[in-house]
Amino acid sequence: MNIKGKLIIIGGAVDKGSFTEVSFDENVANNLNFFEKGILKRILKESKHGNDSKIEVITTASTIPLEVGAEYIKAFNYLGANNVNVMHIQKRDEAIQEDILKRVEEADVVMFTGGDQLRLTSILGGTRFHKILLDKYQNEDFIYAGTSAGAAASSGSMIYQGASKEALLKGEIKITSGLGFIDDVIVDTHFVQRGRIGRLFQAVVTNPMVLGIGLGEDTGLLIKNGTQMEAIGSGLVILVDGREVKNTNLTDVALGEPISINNMIVHVLSQHDTYDLSTSVMGIHGESVKEIS
């Protein structure tokens, strides 16, 4: 399928301080990493109409939607985008209201905030709202952007539970269906700070056909054409490839017992490095590798 839209998935904890602080403008120098290297600015650059794009911030995953929505409006406004609105969808019946559907049909960008990814799939999954988003992503110059929960829910399979310290004990990681914007991957977020590599190892060894994507803080992936990935932001993206695993004791040990894995392949991407899902080829920025155009 020729995917016309773009995904921008972010690991969370972006380095922006708090836009609700009275002294934000005085401390803006502390936030230049966020603005200049990265992520919201790149969203605007990649969007259909740049700073004039119509952006809808979706706070469904958050338990403090009003505060989170206000922060994103101020952040986008600071970067020059003034056509930004917030949808506080908290129940399934709100996702089928005609005014909400009209707004999402007209959006150039949707930005899903952090929180609980199960709220996204349980409240939005299978609704007309969800179907409109999928259609726009597949057929229009449209951006699905998501941070933390919004990133985790973007793929066909989704991690929704599992403590990092017990991640390599059989059965500790819980996986369900995500929103399905991209297949054959599974995404974990807050990856470096919270030490979640074990979660991704178990997720991949249970289904080696999927590529595990671990997004560090203030780090994301831009995905074009459904396959071409570029690391953005200031941190690291970890890719876990299980296709070459030679052996595992996964089916031999009891629930709660440690898992052994032989020959898991790991790639580490930093800013502007690329990876093609269709060819499994990684390009390190600065090498003689053609970047995504």
Coordinates of all heavy atoms in Angstrom, one line a residue, residues 10-74:
I10 N 7.1 9.8 19.4 CA 8.0 10.5 20.3 C 8.0 9.7 21.6 O 7.0 9.3 22.1 CB 7.6 11.9 20.5 CG1 7.3 12.7 19.2 CG2 8.6 12.7 21.4 CD1 6.4 13.9 19.3
G11 N 9.2 9.6 22.1 CA 9.4 8.8 23.4 C 8.9 9.4 24.6 O 8.7 8.7 25.6
G12 N 8.6 10.7 24.6 CA 8.0 11.3 25.8 C 9.1 12.1 26.5 O 10.2 12.1 26.2
A13 N 8.6 12.8 27.6 CA 9.5 13.6 28.4 C 10.3 14.6 27.6 O 11.5 14.8 27.8 CB 10.4 12.8 29.3
V14 N 9.7 15.2 26.6 CA 10.4 16.2 25.7 C 11.0 17.3 26.6 O 10.4 17.7 27.6 CB 9.5 16.7 24.6 CG1 9.4 15.7 23.5 CG2 8.2 17.2 25.2
D15 N 12.2 17.8 26.2 CA 12.9 18.7 27.0 C 12.4 20.1 26.7 O 13.0 20.9 26.0 CB 14.4 18.6 26.7 CG 15.3 19.5 27.5 OD1 14.8 20.0 28.5 OD2 16.4 19.7 27.1
K16 N 11.3 20.4 27.4 CA 10.7 21.7 27.1 C 10.3 22.5 28.4 O 9.7 23.6 28.3 CB 9.4 21.6 26.3 CG 8.3 20.7 26.9 CD 7.1 20.7 26.0 CE 6.0 19.7 26.5 NZ 5.5 20.0 27.8
G17 N 10.6 21.9 29.5 CA 10.2 22.6 30.8 C 8.7 22.6 30.8 O 8.0 21.7 30.2
S18 N 8.1 23.5 31.6 CA 6.6 23.6 31.7 C 6.1 24.9 31.1 O 6.5 25.9 31.5 CB 6.2 23.5 33.1 OG 4.8 23.7 33.2
F19 N 5.3 24.8 30.1 CA 4.7 26.0 29.5 C 3.7 26.6 30.4 O 3.2 27.7 30.1 CB 4.1 25.6 28.1 CG 5.1 25.4 27.1 CD1 5.7 24.2 26.9 CD2 5.6 26.5 26.4 CE1 6.7 24.0 25.9 CE2 6.6 26.3 25.4 CZ 7.1 25.0 25.2
T20 N 3.3 26.0 31.5 CA 2.4 26.7 32.4 C 3.1 27.5 33.4 O 2.5 28.2 34.2 CB 1.6 25.6 33.2 OG1 2.4 24.7 33.9 CG2 0.7 24.8 32.2
E21 N 4.5 27.5 33.4 CA 5.2 28.3 34.3 C 5.1 29.8 33.9 O 5.3 30.1 32.8 CB 6.7 27.9 34.4 CG 6.9 26.5 35.0 CD 8.3 26.1 34.9 OE1 9.1 26.8 34.3 OE2 8.6 25.0 35.5
V22 N 5.0 30.7 34.9 CA 4.9 32.1 34.6 C 6.2 32.6 34.0 O 6.2 33.5 33.1 CB 4.6 32.9 35.9 CG1 4.6 34.4 35.7 CG2 3.2 32.5 36.4
S23 N 7.3 32.0 34.4 CA 8.6 32.5 34.0 C 9.1 31.8 32.7 O 10.3 31.9 32.4 CB 9.6 32.2 35.1 OG 9.7 30.9 35.5
F24 N 8.2 31.1 32.0 CA 8.7 30.4 30.8 C 9.5 31.2 29.9 O 10.5 30.9 29.4 CB 7.5 29.7 30.1 CG 7.9 29.2 28.8 CD1 8.6 28.0 28.7 CD2 7.6 29.9 27.6 CE1 9.0 27.5 27.5 CE2 8.1 29.4 26.4 CZ 8.7 28.2 26.3
D25 N 8.9 32.4 29.5 CA 9.6 33.3 28.5 C 11.0 33.7 29.0 O 11.9 33.8 28.2 CB 8.7 34.5 28.2 CG 7.5 34.1 27.4 OD1 7.6 33.1 26.7 OD2 6.5 34.8 27.6
E26 N 11.1 33.9 30.3 CA 12.4 34.3 30.8 C 13.4 33.2 30.7 O 14.7 33.4 30.6 CB 12.3 34.8 32.3 CG 11.4 36.0 32.5 CD 11.1 36.3 33.9 OE1 11.8 35.6 34.8 OE2 10.3 37.1 34.2
N27 N 12.9 31.9 30.8 CA 13.8 30.8 30.8 C 13.8 30.0 29.5 O 14.2 28.9 29.4 CB 13.4 29.8 31.9 CG 13.5 30.4 33.3 OD1 14.5 31.1 33.5 ND2 12.5 30.1 34.1
V28 N 13.4 30.7 28.4 CA 13.3 30.1 27.1 C 14.6 29.5 26.6 O 14.6 28.5 25.9 CB 12.7 31.0 26.1 CG1 13.7 32.1 25.7 CG2 12.2 30.3 24.8
A29 N 15.7 30.1 27.0 CA 17.0 29.5 26.6 C 17.2 28.1 27.0 O 17.8 27.3 26.4 CB 18.2 30.4 27.2
N30 N 16.6 27.7 28.2 CA 16.7 26.3 28.6 C 15.9 25.4 27.8 O 16.0 24.2 27.9 CB 16.1 26.2 30.1 CG 17.0 27.0 31.0 OD1 18.2 27.1 30.8 ND2 16.4 27.5 32.1
N31 N 15.0 25.9 26.9 CA 14.2 25.1 26.1 C 14.6 25.0 24.6 O 13.9 24.5 23.8 CB 12.7 25.6 26.2 CG 12.2 25.6 27.6 OD1 11.8 24.5 28.0 ND2 12.2 26.7 28.3
L32 N 15.7 25.7 24.3 CA 16.1 25.7 22.9 C 16.4 24.3 22.3 O 16.2 24.1 21.1 CB 17.3 26.6 22.7 CG 17.1 28.1 22.9 CD1 18.3 28.9 22.7 CD2 16.0 28.6 21.9
N33 N 16.8 23.4 23.1 CA 17.1 22.1 22.6 C 15.8 21.5 22.1 O 15.8 20.9 21.0 CB 17.5 21.2 23.8 CG 17.8 19.8 23.4 OD1 18.6 19.5 22.5 ND2 17.1 18.8 23.9
F34 N 14.7 21.7 22.7 CA 13.4 21.2 22.3 C 12.9 21.9 21.0 O 12.5 21.2 20.1 CB 12.4 21.5 23.4 CG 10.9 21.1 23.1 CD1 10.6 19.8 22.8 CD2 10.0 22.1 23.0 CE1 9.3 19.5 22.5 CE2 8.7 21.7 22.7 CZ 8.3 20.4 22.5
F35 N 13.1 23.2 20.9 CA 12.6 24.0 19.8 C 13.5 23.8 18.6 O 13.1 23.5 17.5 CB 12.6 25.4 20.1 CG 11.5 25.8 21.1 CD1 11.7 26.6 22.2 CD2 10.2 25.3 20.9 CE1 10.8 26.9 23.1 CE2 9.2 25.6 21.8 CZ 9.5 26.4 22.9
E36 N 14.8 23.9 18.8 CA 15.7 23.9 17.7 C 16.1 22.6 17.1 O 16.3 22.4 15.9 CB 17.0 24.7 18.0 CG 16.7 26.1 18.5 CD 16.0 26.9 17.4 OE1 16.3 26.7 16.2 OE2 15.1 27.7 17.7
K37 N 16.2 21.5 18.0 CA 16.6 20.2 17.5 C 15.4 19.4 17.2 O 15.5 18.3 16.7 CB 17.4 19.5 18.6 CG 18.8 20.1 18.7 CD 19.7 19.3 19.6 CE 21.1 19.8 19.6 NZ 22.0 19.0 20.5
G38 N 14.3 20.0 17.6 CA 13.4 18.9 17.4 C 12.0 19.0 17.0 O 11.7 19.3 15.9
I39 N 11.3 18.5 18.0 CA 10.3 17.6 17.6 C 9.0 18.4 17.1 O 8.5 18.1 16.0 CB 10.0 16.6 18.7 CG1 11.3 15.8 18.9 CG2 8.9 15.7 18.4 CD1 11.3 14.9 20.0
L40 N 8.6 19.3 17.9 CA 7.4 20.1 17.4 C 7.7 20.9 16.2 O 6.9 21.0 15.3 CB 6.9 21.0 18.5 CG 6.2 20.4 19.8 CD1 5.5 21.4 20.6 CD2 5.3 19.2 19.4
K41 N 8.9 21.5 16.2 CA 9.4 22.2 15.0 C 9.4 21.3 13.8 O 9.0 21.8 12.7 CB 10.7 22.8 15.3 CG 11.2 23.8 14.2 CD 12.4 24.5 14.6 CE 12.9 25.6 13.6 NZ 14.1 26.3 14.1
R42 N 9.8 20.1 13.9 CA 9.9 19.2 12.8 C 8.5 18.8 12.3 O 8.2 18.6 11.1 CB 10.7 17.9 13.1 CG 10.9 17.0 12.0 CD 11.7 17.6 10.8 NE 11.9 16.7 9.7 CZ 12.9 15.9 9.6 NH1 13.9 15.8 10.5 NH2 13.1 15.1 8.5
I43 N 7.5 18.7 13.3 CA 6.2 18.4 13.0 C 5.6 19.5 12.0 O 5.0 19.2 11.0 CB 5.3 18.2 14.2 CG1 5.6 16.9 15.0 CG2 3.8 18.2 13.9 CD1 5.0 16.8 16.3
L44 N 5.9 20.7 12.4 CA 5.4 21.9 11.6 C 6.0 21.8 10.2 O 5.4 22.1 9.2 CB 5.7 23.2 12.3 CG 4.9 23.4 13.6 CD1 5.3 24.7 14.3 CD2 3.4 23.5 13.3
K45 N 7.3 21.6 10.2 CA 8.1 21.6 8.9 C 7.5 20.5 8.0 O 7.4 20.7 6.8 CB 9.5 21.3 9.2 CG 10.4 21.3 7.9 CD 11.8 21.0 8.2 CE 12.7 20.9 6.9 NZ 14.1 20.6 7.2
E46 N 7.1 19.3 8.5 CA 6.7 18.2 7.7 C 5.2 18.3 7.4 O 4.7 17.6 6.5 CB 6.9 16.9 8.4 CG 8.3 16.5 8.6 CD 9.1 16.2 7.3 OE1 8.4 15.8 6.4 OE2 10.3 16.2 7.3
S47 N 4.5 19.2 8.0 CA 3.0 19.3 7.8 C 2.7 20.0 6.5 O 3.5 20.7 5.9 CB 2.4 20.1 9.0 OG 2.8 21.4 9.0
K48 N 1.4 19.8 6.1 CA 1.0 20.2 4.7 C 1.1 21.7 4.5 O 1.6 22.1 3.4 CB -0.4 19.7 4.5 CG -1.0 20.0 3.1 CD -2.4 19.4 3.0 CE -2.9 19.7 1.6 NZ -4.3 19.1 1.4
H49 N 0.8 22.5 5.5 CA 0.8 23.9 5.3 C 1.7 24.6 6.3 O 1.6 25.8 6.6 CB -0.7 24.5 5.5 CG -1.7 23.9 4.5 ND1 -1.6 24.2 3.2 CD2 -2.7 23.1 4.7 CE1 -2.6 23.5 2.6 NE2 -3.3 22.9 3.5
G50 N 2.7 23.9 6.8 CA 3.6 24.5 7.7 C 2.9 25.1 9.0 O 2.1 24.5 9.6
N51 N 3.3 26.3 9.3 CA 2.8 27.0 10.5 C 1.3 27.3 10.3 O 0.6 27.6 11.3 CB 3.5 28.3 10.7 CG 4.9 28.1 11.4 OD1 5.3 26.9 11.5 ND2 5.5 29.1 11.8
D52 N 0.8 27.2 9.1 CA -0.7 27.5 8.9 C -1.5 26.2 8.9 O -2.7 26.2 8.7 CB -0.9 28.1 7.5 CG -0.3 29.5 7.5 OD1 -0.3 30.2 8.5 OD2 0.2 29.9 6.4
S53 N -0.8 25.1 9.2 CA -1.6 23.8 9.2 C -2.6 23.8 10.4 O -2.3 24.4 11.5 CB -0.6 22.6 9.4 OG 0.2 22.5 8.3
K54 N -3.7 23.1 10.2 CA -4.7 22.9 11.2 C -4.3 21.7 12.1 O -4.2 20.6 11.6 CB -6.0 22.7 10.6 CG -7.1 22.6 11.7 CD -8.5 22.6 11.1 CE -9.6 22.6 12.2 NZ -11.0 22.6 11.7
I55 N -4.0 22.0 13.4 CA -3.5 21.0 14.3 C -4.6 20.8 15.4 O -5.1 21.7 16.0 CB -2.2 21.5 15.0 CG1 -1.1 21.7 13.9 CG2 -1.7 20.5 16.0 CD1 0.1 22.5 14.4
E56 N -4.8 19.5 15.6 CA -5.7 19.1 16.7 C -4.9 18.3 17.7 O -4.4 17.3 17.4 CB -6.9 18.3 16.2 CG -7.9 19.0 15.3 CD -8.8 20.0 16.0 OE1 -8.7 20.1 17.3 OE2 -9.5 20.7 15.3
V57 N -4.9 18.7 19.0 CA -4.2 18.0 20.0 C -5.3 17.2 20.7 O -6.3 17.7 21.2 CB -3.6 19.0 21.0 CG1 -2.9 18.3 22.2 CG2 -2.6 19.9 20.3
I58 N -5.0 15.9 20.8 CA -5.9 14.9 21.4 C -5.4 14.5 22.8 O -4.3 13.9 22.9 CB -6.1 13.6 20.5 CG1 -6.2 14.0 19.1 CG2 -7.2 12.8 21.1 CD1 -7.5 14.8 18.8
T59 N -6.1 14.8 23.9 CA -5.7 14.6 25.2 C -6.3 13.4 25.9 O -6.2 13.2 27.1 CB -6.0 15.8 26.1 OG1 -7.4 16.0 26.1 CG2 -5.3 17.1 25.6
T60 N -6.9 12.5 25.1 CA -7.6 11.4 25.6 C -6.8 10.5 26.6 O -7.4 10.0 27.6 CB -8.1 10.5 24.4 OG1 -8.9 11.3 23.6 CG2 -9.0 9.3 24.9
A61 N -5.6 10.3 26.3 CA -4.7 9.4 27.2 C -4.5 10.0 28.5 O -4.1 9.3 29.5 CB -3.4 9.1 26.5
S62 N -4.6 11.3 28.7 CA -4.1 12.0 29.9 C -5.2 12.1 30.9 O -6.4 12.2 30.7 CB -3.7 13.4 29.5 OG -3.3 14.1 30.7
T63 N -4.8 12.0 32.2 CA -5.7 12.2 33.3 C -5.7 13.7 33.7 O -6.5 14.1 34.6 CB -5.2 11.4 34.6 OG1 -3.9 11.8 34.9 CG2 -5.3 9.9 34.2
I64 N -4.9 14.6 33.1 CA -5.0 16.0 33.3 C -5.1 16.7 32.0 O -4.2 17.5 31.6 CB -3.7 16.5 34.1 CG1 -2.4 16.0 33.5 CG2 -3.9 16.1 35.6 CD1 -1.2 16.7 34.1
P65 N -6.1 16.4 31.2 CA -6.2 16.9 29.9 C -6.2 18.4 29.7 O -5.6 18.9 28.7 CB -7.5 16.3 29.4 CG -8.3 16.1 30.6 CD -7.3 15.7 31.6
L66 N -6.8 19.2 30.6 CA -6.8 20.6 30.5 C -5.5 21.2 30.6 O -5.1 22.1 29.8 CB -7.8 21.2 31.5 CG -9.2 20.8 31.5 CD1 -10.0 21.4 32.6 CD2 -9.8 21.2 30.1
E67 N -4.7 20.7 31.5 CA -3.3 21.3 31.7 C -2.4 20.9 30.5 O -1.7 21.7 30.0 CB -2.7 20.7 33.0 CG -3.4 21.2 34.3 CD -4.5 20.4 34.7 OE1 -5.1 19.7 33.9 OE2 -4.8 20.4 36.0
V68 N -2.5 19.6 30.1 CA -1.7 19.1 29.0 C -2.0 19.9 27.7 O -1.2 20.3 26.9 CB -1.9 17.6 28.8 CG1 -1.2 17.2 27.5 CG2 -1.2 16.9 30.0
G69 N -3.3 20.0 27.4 CA -3.8 20.7 26.2 C -3.3 22.1 26.2 O -2.8 22.6 25.1
A70 N -3.3 22.8 27.3 CA -2.9 24.2 27.4 C -1.4 24.3 27.1 O -0.9 25.2 26.4 CB -3.2 24.8 28.7
E71 N -0.6 23.3 27.6 CA 0.9 23.4 27.3 C 1.2 23.2 25.8 O 2.0 23.9 25.3 CB 1.5 22.3 28.1 CG 1.6 22.5 29.6 CD 2.8 21.8 30.3 OE1 3.5 21.1 29.6 OE2 3.0 22.0 31.5
Y72 N 0.5 22.3 25.2 CA 0.8 22.1 23.7 C 0.3 23.3 22.9 O 1.0 23.6 21.9 CB 0.1 20.8 23.3 CG 1.0 19.6 23.5 CD1 0.8 18.8 24.6 CD2 2.1 19.3 22.7 CE1 1.6 17.7 24.9 CE2 2.9 18.2 22.9 CZ 2.7 17.5 24.0 OH 3.5 16.4 24.3
I73 N -0.8 23.9 23.3 CA -1.2 25.1 22.5 C -0.1 26.2 22.6 O 0.3 26.8 21.7 CB -2.5 25.7 23.0 CG1 -3.7 24.7 22.5 CG2 -2.8 27.1 22.5 CD1 -5.0 25.1 23.1
K74 N 0.4 26.4 23.9 CA 1.4 27.4 24.1 C 2.7 27.1 23.3 O 3.4 27.9 22.7 CB 1.7 27.6 25.5 CG 2.5 28.9 25.8 CD 2.4 29.3 27.3 CE 3.2 30.6 27.5 NZ 3.1 31.1 28.9

